[in-house]
């Protein structure tokens, strides 16, 4: 055999050895990736230190993202609980000039028959002026007055209705006594009212015209039987509750007339679908059915936007860590140029070279992401369980400490984003190593 043929045969055998099973080549790529990143001799010590810095950046970024998203989700949950404590999941009203719902008993029965509805009850609503006499210094406060069926036998629609039915905030009128009224803490504080004080309730809706042409409002003396606080500034400054029959009497309404019928869905987040079923059961017009996600959509949209904005801002920490990954891998390419050239001359393919540097980025991304998720979850549990961060309850919906709530979906997308950013950080350095020519790389000094 000729020498040239023998050389060609040896080269072919060497290339065949390099082009072994895919599993072996993958293991080789993993070995080279770990060796390049964790080198601890000579100039490699600096490279190893920079590698740990890049890894720490990913861990810190993911940890911060987990905690921030957990806090925003916790605030959303607290706000939802506060809203649903005073409002029904589904609201059924009737179109018309009077804005009143006729035959509320029939509507209530129809709503209760719909699958997914747990409870339904009528509500009579109006805006009133409360006037308290006090040494010639009368002060009137306009409030939203809700008349609820406190003596109902079915399940309560809201947490407030449950409190009124249980007697915690009593609306039961004593024989010969005054009509009972439960006021929000903000109104009571403004008017210096306490339980047992008498107020004059003036109706602004059904005013009559006197023989002289003057407007005469309907007024009655009621007694404050309780004061409540929801933590929502808007509710605590405007709301009041009384028995439905007393509000009907004040407004000169028939017993069969209410303002709307409220319903409670089995799952609050399915309120929109249940509302569609209720609308179909009622036959559409003149009934208008609104889920709570629609009536409070402005506030919910603001919270979602705030959560998205905070997520994007904190994700920049992971992006900064990705630049550290890029710089680390670029330094690996520069410091290992001759070695890469030698390996390519020995049969390492361009694809193998690309795989080596992609694996380095994957190593940093996976380890950093998993460590960040674990540390973020641990920190979130500590904050939630021990209440490490107190907040003013009068500002944040009655919440006294920073709430944290994490869902599997939040953890999944945080991990996915971190992993994707780390993977993208390998593109440029891997492409640089991919394009190295063996001869030029070996001559590199």
């Amino acid at each position: 055999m000729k020498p040239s043929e023998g050389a060609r045969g040896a080269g072919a055998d060497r290339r065949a050895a390099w082009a072994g099973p895919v599993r072996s080549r993958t293991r080789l790529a993993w070995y080279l990736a770990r060796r390049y990143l964790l080198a601890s001799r000579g100039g490699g010590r600096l490279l190893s230190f920079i590698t740990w810095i890049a890894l720490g950046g990913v861990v810190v970024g993911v940890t911060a993202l987990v905690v921030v998203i957990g806090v925003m989700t916790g605030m959303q949950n607290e706000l939802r609980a506060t809203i649903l404590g005073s409002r029904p999941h589904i609201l059924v009203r009737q179109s018309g000039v009077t804005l009143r719902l006729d035959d509320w008993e029939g509507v209530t029965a129809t709503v209760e028959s719909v699958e997914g509805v747990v409870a339904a009850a009528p509500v009579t609503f109006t805006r009133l002026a409360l006037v308290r006499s006090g040494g010639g210094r009368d002060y009137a406060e306009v409030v939203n007055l809700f008349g609820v069926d406190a003596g109902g036998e079915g399940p309560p629609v809201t947490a407030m209705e449950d409190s009124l039915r249980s007697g915690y905030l009593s609306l039961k009128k004593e024989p010969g006594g005054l009509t009972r009224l439960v006021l929000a803490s903000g109104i009571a504080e403004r008017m210096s009212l306490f339980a047992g004080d008498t107020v004059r309730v003036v109706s602004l809706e059904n005013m009559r015209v006197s023989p002289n042409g003057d407007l005469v409002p309907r007024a009655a003396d009621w007694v404050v039987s309780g004061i409540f606080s929801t933590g929502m500034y808007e509710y605590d400054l405007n709301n009041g509750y009384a028995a439905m029959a007393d509000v009907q009497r004040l407004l000169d309404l028939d017993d069969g007339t209410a303002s709307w019928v409220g319903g409670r869905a089995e799952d609050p987040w399915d309120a929109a679908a249940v509302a569609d079923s209720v609308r179909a059961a009622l036959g559409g017009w003149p009934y208008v059915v609104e889920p709570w996600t629609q009536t409070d959509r402005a506030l919910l949209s603001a919270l979602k936007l705030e959560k998205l904005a905070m997520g994007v801002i904190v994700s920049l920490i992971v992006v900064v860590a990705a630049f550290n990954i890029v710089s680390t891998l670029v330094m690996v390419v520069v410091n290992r140029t001759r070695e890469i050239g030698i390996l390519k001359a020995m049969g390492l393919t361009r694809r193998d070279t690309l795989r080596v540097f992609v694996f380095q980025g994957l190593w940093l991304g996976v380890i950093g992401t998993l460590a960040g998720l674990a540390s973020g979850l641990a920190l979130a549990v500590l904050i939630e369980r021990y209440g490490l961060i107190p907040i003013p309850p009068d500002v944040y919906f009655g919440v006294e400490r920073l709430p944290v709530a994490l869902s599997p979906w939040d953890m999944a997308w945080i991990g996915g984003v971190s992993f994707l950013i780390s993977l993208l950080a390998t593109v440029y350095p891997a492409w640089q190593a991919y394009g190295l020519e063996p001869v030029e790389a070996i001559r590199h000094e």
Side-chain angles (χ1 to χ4, degrees), residues 159-302:
M160 178 58 68
E161 185 178 337
D162 187 28
S163 299
L164 296 173
R165 287 188 181 184
S166 64
Y168 178 73
L169 297 171
S170 178
L171 294 179
K172 185 177 180 180
K173 183 178 179 181
E174 300 293 337
L178 295 177
T179 299
R180 290 176 174 263
L181 173 67
V182 175
L183 284 178
S185 58
I187 302 173
E189 182 179 357
R190 281 193 174 189
M191 301 183 67
S192 299
L193 291 174
F194 301 92
D197 288 346
T198 300
V199 294
R200 170 144 293 200
V201 182
V202 182
S203 173
L204 303 179
E205 290 191 9
N206 56 329
M207 291 187 291
R208 294 166 294 178
V209 180
S210 69
N212 297 328
D214 298 328
L215 293 176
V216 180
R218 179 72 179 270
D221 289 333
W222 290 8
V223 61
V224 178
S225 61
I227 297 173
F228 68 91
S229 176
T230 63
M232 284 286 290
Y233 180 79
E234 179 184 357
Y235 296 169
D236 291 343
L237 196 63
N238 297 290
N239 291 358
Y241 291 85
M244 181 175 172
D246 295 327
V247 178
Q248 288 174 333
R249 192 178 306 111
L250 181 69
L251 300 177
D252 295 325
L253 298 178
D254 298 332
D255 294 340
T257 303
S259 297
W260 64 70
V261 168
R264 177 161 63 92
E266 186 174 356
D267 185 356
W269 292 109
D270 289 338
V274 176
D276 293 336
S277 301
V278 171
R279 188 179 300 108
L282 292 173
W285 190 89
Y287 299 107
V288 178
V289 185
E290 297 178 345
W292 72 276
T293 52
Q294 179 178 348
T295 55
D296 294 289
R297 60 183 179 275
L299 183 58
L300 295 176
S301 298

Side-chain angles (χ1 to χ4, degrees), residues 92 94 98-108 121-124 149 244-245 247-249 252-261 287:
V92 181
Q94 181 176 335
T98 61
L99 296 179
R100 299 299 181 189
L101 178 65
D102 300 326
D103 188 24
W104 60 263
E105 293 182 350
V107 174
T108 302
V123 174
T124 302
D149 186 12
M244 181 175 172
V247 178
Q248 288 174 333
R249 192 178 306 111
D252 295 325
L253 298 178
D254 298 332
D255 294 340
T257 303
S259 297
W260 64 70
V261 168
Y287 299 107

Side-chain angles (χ1 to χ4, degrees), residues 26-39 51 329 332 352 355-363:
T26 302
R27 292 176 60 184
L28 174 63
W30 273 114
Y31 170 77
L32 293 175
R34 292 194 305 269
R35 183 177 179 84
Y36 287 165
L37 282 177
L38 302 178
T51 299
L329 297 184
V332 171
D352 292 331
R355 187 182 291 131
V356 168
F357 286 90
V358 170
F359 282 170
Q360 292 183 55
L362 289 178
W363 187 88

Side-chain angles (χ1 to χ4, degrees), residues 331-342 436-445:
M331 291 185 64
V332 171
V333 174
V334 173
N335 291 344
R336 305 292 183 177
T337 299
R338 293 189 65 183
E339 295 182 14
I340 296 173
I342 294 172
L436 287 177
E437 294 295 336
V439 176
E440 296 180 0
I442 293 174
R443 292 176 178 176
H444 179 78
E445 296 182 359

